[in-house]
DNA sequence: TTGTACGCGTTATCAG
DNA sequence: CTGATAACGCGTACAA
C-alpha cells in the first residue's frame, strides 16, 4: 500500500472487538455493557463506555439486526403524505418510536389497496418489527398476510371492530352523525355531500352511510346528492359546480374534508352566494386554515396527534409483551364556527 | 415440545440454503441468481426463482446488509413535516429511491441545527448510504462530520456555493429580488416583510437581505420593517397586528411563506382594509390554497417536486459512480395574482 | 458457469 | 459478574 493510499483510506469503523481489546475485557462484556448494562460491573461498564467514546465506536446496526433478529424498523403505510392530517399523525407516531430507538419507514399507497399490500410486503421482507396501516385493511391479499404475520400490526384512523387488526381511531359514522344532528337541528331540509371514493375506503363509506341514514330517518332530502370526488382543489371546484347546477335548492353542504369545504365556500362567494346565509358548508378534519377563511369553517376535529401517539404506544407495548395490541377508541369533536347557520326562511 | 407449541410456532423463514437445496444448486448460485443474474445459466436461474417463489423466500435484509455493507437506507433530515412544501419534496425524493430499492428514513430537526447534527449521526450510525439535508449545513459539529463522511450528502432547498456540501435548489436571494423588482415596479414606496428566524437559516437570511438590498438601492422605506415570526397562523396574525400598529402607512407586505400571506390577508380584510387596494400582500412557496382565498395570492413558486426528484437522482448517481454529487440549480417562478397591485395615488 | 470455504460484527448460550 | 465459542444468513474470492 502506497503512502497516498494510506492517506486516502478512511480508517475503518471500530468494532466491538476493538473496544473489548482496549478495555481489556471480552467482546461479550462489551456487548452486555450496551444491551444489559445492569448486569455489568459499574466500573467495568464505565471503562468500556469511555473507550468506546474514545474510539468513536457505535454498534453496527446490520450485525445487530442479523444476530438479534431485530431490525429496529417500523413500517407505516399511509394513503398519501400530501394531506396534512396524515403528516401530523405520522409525526407523532414517529416521534414516539424514535425515542424507543426505532426508525420509521413511511410508504404511501396512493389510496390503492393493492399497493397497500405491496408496500406491506416490502416492509415485512425488510424486517419491519411492527406495522401501522392508515385506514381499514380491506385488500384480499393483505388480510391473510397480516393474519400470518409474526409482528404486531395496527390500523389507524377508523375505529373498527376488526377481529384481524386492532385499530386506534374514531368512529366515522358517529362523527358524521353528530354533524348531521347539528345541521338538522338548525332546521336544514335539503342536503348534499362531497365525499371521497368509498371503494376500499371504510372512512368514506361510514360517513356516506351516516349522512344518508340521518336524512332517511328524518325524511329529508339529499340521500342521492352525494358527489364523489378526489381530495383536490380542482375536484372540489367541479363538485361545487355540479351541486349548483343539479341541486340549487340545497341549503347544507357536508364535506368530508376541509379542502372541499374551503374550496366550495370560496367558489360560492365568488358567484355571489352568501355562506352561511344562502348555503351552510361544513368540513371534516379541522385543518389549520379553517379559521383563515371568512366565514371560518364549521368542522369535525380529528384527533390526528393522538392517533399517531397512541398507535405507537400500543405497538411498542405489544413489542415488549408479545401480546396482541389492544384497540383504542378516540373521539372527534364538533367545532361550530361561522360557515353554518339556520337556513333562510 | 408439546403439540400446542408446534401448532403455535410459525414456520421459520426459508433461507438461501433452503432454496439451494431444493433447486439442487449451491448457495452461491442462488446468491448470484439474485445479485448478478447475468452470469447464471438461464435455466438454472429460472429453476431457482421458481423454487424461491414456492418457498416464499426473500433475501434477509440484515444478513445482506452485514455482508455487503449496504443498508439499503437513505436518510433525510427536514425541518418539519408539517409544511406541505417539505412533504411534497420528500414524496418525490422517496419515490425515486424506492424504485432503486431503498428505504427512506425521514427525521425532523424542528429547525434546530444542533438537532440536525444529532439526527445525521443517528442516520449514519445506522448505516444510511446517503444523506439529504433540507437547508444549508451550518451546524459547527455537522460540517466536520459531513466532511469526514464516507457517504454522499446533498443539501437541498437553497442553491449554495458550499464547497463542502453540493446543493440542489434555488437562489433565495434572487427569488426575493424578483418579487421586489415586481413590487417596486408597481410603484410601491413603503414596504414591510414577515420573515422566519434567520438564525441558522440561510433561506431566511437570503430573503431578508434581498429585501433590504432592493429597498436600499432605490432609497425606499422598510429596511427596518422586518417582522420575525414562526410559520404559524397565530404568529402571522400577531405580525399583522404589529404591522398595522407600528407602520400603518405600509403599502406592500412581503411574506416569506404563503401561510403568513394568507393569514394577514384574511385579517386585513376582517379589519376593513382592502387587499390589494389599500395594501398589497405577496407570499412565498405557491401552496395550493393560494388560489382559494379572495384575492388570490401573488407568490413565488418553489420547485418542490424537482428538488426532491433531482436530489434523489444525483445521490443515486453518486452511489453508483463513487463520485461527488454535482450541484444543480433550479429556478423559482413569480406568480402574479390578485393580491398585489399598484398603490393608491 | 458453478461450487467450496470463509467471514461480515454482533449476541446468545454455557461454563466458570 | 465475566469469558469462550458458536451461530445469525448471506456474498465473494478462489478453485474447479
Amino acid at each position: 500500500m502506497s503512502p497516498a493510499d494510506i492517506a486516502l483510506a478512511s480508517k475503518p469503523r471500530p468494532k466491538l472487538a476493538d473496544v473489548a481489546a482496549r478495555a481489556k475485557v471480552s467482546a461479550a462484556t462489551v456487548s452486555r455493557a450496551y444491551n444489559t448494562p445492569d448486569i455489568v460491573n459499574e466500573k467495568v461498564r464505565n471503562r468500556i463506555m469511555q473507550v468506546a467514546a474514545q474510539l468513536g465506536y457505535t454498534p453496527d446496526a446490520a450485525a445487530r439486526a442479523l444476530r438479534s433478529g431485530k431490525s429496529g424498523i417500523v413500517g407505516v403505510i399511509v394513503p398519501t403524505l400530501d394531506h396534512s392530517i396524515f403528516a401530523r399523525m405520522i409525526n407523532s407516531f414517529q416521534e414516539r418510536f424514535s425515542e424507543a430507538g426505532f426508525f420509521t419507514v413511511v410508504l404511501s399507497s396512493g389510496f390503492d389497496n393493492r399497493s397497500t399490500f405491496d408496500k406491506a410486503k416490502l416492509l415485512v421482507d425488510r424486517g419491519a418489527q411492527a406495522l401501522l396501516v392508515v385506514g381499514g385493511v380491506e385488500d384480499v391479499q393483505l388480510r391473510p398476510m397480516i393474519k400470518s404475520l409474526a409482528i404486531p400490526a395496527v390500523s389507524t384512523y377508523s375505529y373498527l371492530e376488526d377481529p384481524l387488526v386492532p385499530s386506534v381511531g374514531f368512529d366515522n359514522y358517529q362523527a358524521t352523525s353528530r354533524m348531521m344532528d347539528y345541521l338538522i337541528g338548525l332546521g336544514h331540509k335539503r342536503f348534499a355531500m362531497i365525499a371521497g371514493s368509498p371503494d376500499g375506503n371504510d372512512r368514506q363509506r361510514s360517513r356516506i352511510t351516516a349522512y344518508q341514514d340521518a336524512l332517511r330517518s328524518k325524511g329529508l332530502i339529499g340521500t342521492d346528492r352525494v358527489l364523489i370526488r378526489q381530495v383536490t382543489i380542482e375536484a372540489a371546484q367541479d363538485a361545487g359546480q355540479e351541486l349548483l347546477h343539479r341541486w340549487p335548492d340545497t341549503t347544507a353542504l357536508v364535506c368530508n374534508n376541509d379542502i372541499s369545504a374551503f374550496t366550495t365556500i370560496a367558489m360560492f362567494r365568488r358567484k355571489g352566494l352568501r355562506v352561511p346565509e344562502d348555503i351552510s358548508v361544513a368540513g371534516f378534519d379541522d385543518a389549520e386554515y379553517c379559521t383563515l377563511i371568512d366565514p371560518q369553517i364549521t368542522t369535525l376535529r380529528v384527533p390526528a396527534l393522538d392517533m399517531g401517539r397512541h398507535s405507537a404506544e400500543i405497538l411498542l407495548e405489544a413489542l415488549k409483551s408479545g401480546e396482541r395490541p389492544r384497540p383504542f377508541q378516540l373521539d372527534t369533536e364538533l367545532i361550530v364556527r361561522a360557515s353554518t347557520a339556520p337556513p333562510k326562511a
Side-chain angles (χ1 to χ4, degrees), chain A:
Chain A
M1 193 187 258
S2 75
D5 288 332
I6 292 173
L8 281 174
S10 57
K11 48 197 135 196
R13 237 179 114 137
K15 44 199 208 189
L16 195 61
D18 300 331
V19 177
R22 287 265 296 243
K24 307 220 183 286
V25 290
S26 71
T29 303
V30 178
S31 176
R32 283 191 286 258
Y34 275 90
N35 300 305
T36 48
D38 304 338
I39 67 165
V40 175
N41 181 298
E42 191 180 335
K43 278 181 71 173
V44 176
R45 195 178 62 219
N46 289 339
R47 192 172 72 231
I48 290 174
M49 286 311 177
Q50 206 174 325
V51 170
Q54 253 175 52
L55 262 45
Y57 167 78
T58 40
D60 181 278
R64 204 170 231 198
L66 175 58
R67 181 61 240 223
S68 70
K70 291 172 187 167
S71 64
I73 287 180
V74 289
V76 178
I77 300 166
V78 71
T80 173
L81 273 176
D82 258 21
H83 293 20
S84 65
I85 193 99
F86 294 141
R88 249 190 284 169
M89 214 173 70
I90 292 173
N91 234 4
S92 59
F93 179 87
Q94 193 254 47
E95 210 164 87
R96 189 66 197 82
F97 261 105
S98 185
E99 288 167 12
F102 285 81
F103 273 1
T104 302
V105 173
V106 181
L107 266 30
S108 39
S109 67
F111 289 98
D112 172 8
N113 277 338
R114 169 56 196 266
S115 156
T116 303
F117 167 76
D118 293 341
K119 307 293 181 188
K121 184 150 172 31
L122 225 50
L123 287 163
V124 171
D125 284 348
R126 289 275 294 254
Q129 290 180 246
L131 223 51
L132 177 70
V133 181
V134 173
V137 173
E138 307 198 343
D139 184 76
V140 289
Q141 288 184 80
L142 185 52
R143 290 190 67 84
M145 170 175 171
I146 285 195
K147 185 161 187 180
S148 70
L149 227 50
I151 62 172
V154 159
S155 87
T156 186
Y157 214 102
S158 307
Y159 182 78
L160 299 165
E161 306 278 359
D162 187 332
L164 184 58
V165 193
S167 64
V168 173
F170 60 89
D171 183 333
N172 281 271
Y173 185 94
Q174 189 195 56
T176 293
S177 301
R178 195 173 292 171
M179 177 64 83
M180 293 305 291
D181 286 349
Y182 160 70
L183 292 170
I184 291 171
L186 289 179
H188 289 278
K189 306 254 184 282
R190 292 179 302 278
F191 289 77
M193 170 174 258
I194 298 181
S197 168
D199 289 349
N201 186 326
D202 65 281
R203 286 93 70 208
Q204 297 300 331
R205 282 202 308 274
S206 297
R207 297 179 199 173
I208 294 170
T209 308
Y211 165 84
Q212 293 174 325
D213 286 355
L215 295 182
R216 242 178 240 124
S217 74
K218 308 275 181 182
L220 301 175
I221 290 171
T223 51
D224 59 326
R225 301 184 178 182
V226 179
L227 296 155
I228 305 293
R229 291 293 187 289
Q230 293 190 301
V231 185
T232 68
I233 290 177
E234 297 72 36
Q237 249 151 0
D238 183 71
Q241 298 274 17
E242 185 168 340
L243 171 69
L244 296 182
H245 180 71
R246 293 176 62 182
W247 308 298
D249 61 343
T250 302
T251 67
L253 172 60
V254 180
C255 299
N256 277 354
N257 58 77
D258 290 329
I259 294 264
S260 301
F262 201 115
T263 306
T264 49
I265 288 174
M267 178 188 143
F268 290 162
R269 298 192 64 195
R270 223 169 283 155
K271 298 201 175 238
L273 272 176
R274 290 168 306 164
V275 178
E277 292 83 354
D278 297 323
I279 184 167
S280 285
V281 179
F284 205 115
D285 288 345
D286 195 31
E288 273 198 317
Y289 48 75
C290 281
T291 57
L292 283 182
I293 197 172
D294 180 37
Q296 297 188 9
I297 302 177
T298 294
T299 191
L300 285 160
R301 177 170 299 164
V302 163
L305 234 97
D306 286 344
M307 289 193 291
R309 205 169 37 75
H310 203 92
S311 304
E313 213 63 71
I314 67 171
L315 280 174
L316 278 167
E317 262 173 43
L319 242 26
K320 265 192 210 126
S321 70
E323 282 166 33
R324 192 169 188 279
R326 275 217 301 254
F328 190 82
Q329 182 157 17
L330 295 162
D331 212 356
T332 51
E333 190 185 349
L334 174 65
I335 310 282
V336 175
R337 298 204 181 92
S339 68
T340 51
K344 285 180 303 192

